Structures are given as C-alpha cells and as structure tokens.
Amino acid sequence: MVRADSLRNRERILTAAGALLAARGEGVGMDEIAAEAGVAVGTLYRHFPTKSDLIAAALAELTERLVADVRAAADRVENGADPAAELRGLLEWLITKPAADKAIKAAATGLASDALQEMESRGFAELDRITAVAHAHGLLRPDITTADFALIAATAPDDTLPAAARDRWIELALRSVLA
C-alpha cells in the first residue's frame, strides 16, 4: 500500500513539472522541479529515476484527462447528442487547452515518445466512435476519417490567436468535414 504522503509528493512533483515545463520548456532541471514541488531531490528521484520517467508520468496524466474528455463526448453522441456540436466543442477545446499540456507534449516528443503515441492512439479510438455516429447520421462527408481530425488537430492555432480568428478557424475546419 502506498503511503498518503508519498501520493501527495508524487502529485506535487507532477504539478510542479507541468508548470515549469510550460514556463521554461524541457530544459528545466530536476532539482528545480523538486524545489518547486517542495520536496527533496532524493524524493523526486525515488518517484521518477529519470527526466524521461517524469515526463512520461506527466504525459500519462494528460492522456487520462484527454481520453476522458473525448470519451465523454463520444458517450454523449451515442446517447443522442449532436455529433457536429461535440466536434465543435472538441475543436474549441483543442485551441484553448492549457499551455502546460502543450509543453508536456512537446517535451515528450523527444523524451517519452511511446507515451505520446499511446495518448494519440487512445484518444483517436474514442474519436472513432464520434466519427462513426456522425457518418451514420450523414453529418460528415463520406471521405472523412478520424485521421482527418488528427490533421485538423495538428494544425489547430494556439490560444494566442484572437477569439474571433479562433472561432473563424473552427468554422472553416467544420465546413471542411461536415456534409
């Protein structure tokens, strides 16, 4: 059984790592993360022996949040929600998600690419459900696949774009896939 203080320390380390990665990128040191978390460096290394382990754990948490959000949207669609509205919501979310998530993903590209690939595959498996329902209702162009949504996600503007421009980008992206 894991001690409560150990769980708290792990959470504090992951929170600090996310914040520092967002602020300064993957160049942040493990000692800086430990100081930000308020734990000894040895405590950090007991939880995460390498920086890759720490980034992979942060990415695993991000994966769980992302997959849960897409799964919830897929569940709503399967229970009668408008697939186009859910797709719009997912596109809006892609643009406005926290900068820390982007920084963790960027750091993971070089240090924890397996974890990044797992996140994408699990998220797209849930998105497949939305795509299938949207096709069944004739809402998507026949040639649109989940891979197309991956391309749209990869080209999504960041949250520094003015709100009106973000809204226009979402509208154009939706027009490109809706029947």
Side-chain angles (χ1 to χ4, degrees):
M1 180 175 210
V2 179
R3 294 181 356 213
D5 63 330
S6 181
L7 290 173
R8 279 191 304 273
N9 285 342
R10 179 182 170 82
E11 185 58 36
R12 288 169 44 196
I13 291 166
L14 288 170
T15 300
L20 289 173
L21 284 167
R24 302 206 330 259
E26 68 179 277
V28 68
M30 295 287 272
D31 55 337
E32 296 170 276
I33 294 169
E36 180 74 18
V39 300
V41 174
T43 300
L44 184 145
Y45 280 106
R46 272 192 299 284
H47 286 278
F48 306 103
T50 68
K51 192 174 192 177
S52 293
D53 294 330
L54 175 57
I55 291 173
L59 189 60
E61 279 198 351
L62 173 60
T63 297
E64 291 309 314
R65 287 195 324 263
L66 295 178
V67 170
D69 288 346
V70 177
R71 182 180 299 124
D75 289 345
R76 287 189 298 271
V77 166
E78 287 182 347
N79 289 317
D82 177 12
E86 292 297 333
L87 289 171
R88 175 181 289 282
L90 288 172
L91 290 176
E92 288 171 351
W93 175 81
L94 277 172
I95 293 173
T96 59
K97 66 185 176 176
D101 295 350
K102 294 176 198 167
I104 292 169
K105 283 174 59 178
T109 300
L111 299 174
S113 59
D114 289 346
L116 185 60
Q117 190 170 14
E118 178 189 348
M119 177 180 71
E120 289 173 352
S121 110
R122 288 180 59 203
F124 291 132
E126 295 298 333
L127 188 55
D128 278 340
R129 293 171 52 204
I130 297 172
T131 304
V133 172
H135 274 298
H137 286 87
L139 297 172
L140 293 179
R141 289 186 9 212
D143 62 328
I144 297 299
T145 68
T146 301
D148 295 315
F149 289 106
L151 179 59
I152 290 169
T155 61
D158 64 22
D159 57 0
T160 60
L161 198 63
R166 288 193 313 264
D167 291 344
R168 180 69 178 151
W169 182 89
I170 291 168
E171 187 60 37
L172 293 171
L174 285 173
R175 284 184 193 176
S176 73
V177 298
L178 295 177

